[in-house]
Amino acid sequence: QAQLAESGGGSVEAGGSLRLSCAASGFSLSDLHLAWFRQAPGKEREAVAAIIRDGSTTYVSIYLQGRVTISRDNAANTFYLQMNHLRPVDTGMYYCAAGIGRGESYLSPLKYNHWGQGTQVTVSS
């Protein structure tokens, strides 16, 4: 069955870095738009970054500009989120997503139909 699986989360000190990975199984990511979202306790899910299907354009939340990079490796059927200069407010569950939806913003969760289970990121002060 089609699945996405995140990895690379963990606990880091403020100012540290993490690289999250999202590996797909049972289907190909090559023709899909890809994105990362996050959700803090008691908060709504929010967009982090997205990359369009051919990799030519990326979108990053204004709150993370300059601190995150999204990339994809179609040969590995995997995509990534590099996060630097992490802050305690970045703490939350991080989810990867993939989809072919049209008519929605690349940073809208409605664009994506495949979702991972999430990986926890905790940033301490």
Side-chain angles (χ1 to χ4, degrees), residues 49-77:
I51 184 167
I52 68 171
R53 59 175 172 247
D54 69 1
S56 64
T57 307
T58 62
Y59 301 87
V60 179
S61 168
I62 187 66
Y63 304 107
L64 290 153
Q65 285 285 338
R67 299 196 294 121
V68 305
T69 302
I70 186 170
S71 60
R72 63 191 299 161
D73 184 347
N74 288 344
N77 214 26

Side-chain angles (χ1 to χ4, degrees), residues 12-66:
V12 297
E13 298 287 330
S17 298
L18 286 173
R19 190 191 194 208
L20 308 184
S21 299
C22 182
S25 59
F27 70 108
S28 175
L29 296 176
S30 62
D31 293 327
L32 302 178
H33 309 296
L34 310 174
W36 290 90
F37 295 81
R38 68 183 184 183
Q39 188 167 26
K43 304 294 185 180
E44 294 184 353
R45 187 169 298 188
E46 65 178 358
V48 175
I51 184 167
I52 68 171
R53 59 175 172 247
D54 69 1
S56 64
T57 307
T58 62
Y59 301 87
V60 179
S61 168
I62 187 66
Y63 304 107
L64 290 153
Q65 285 285 338

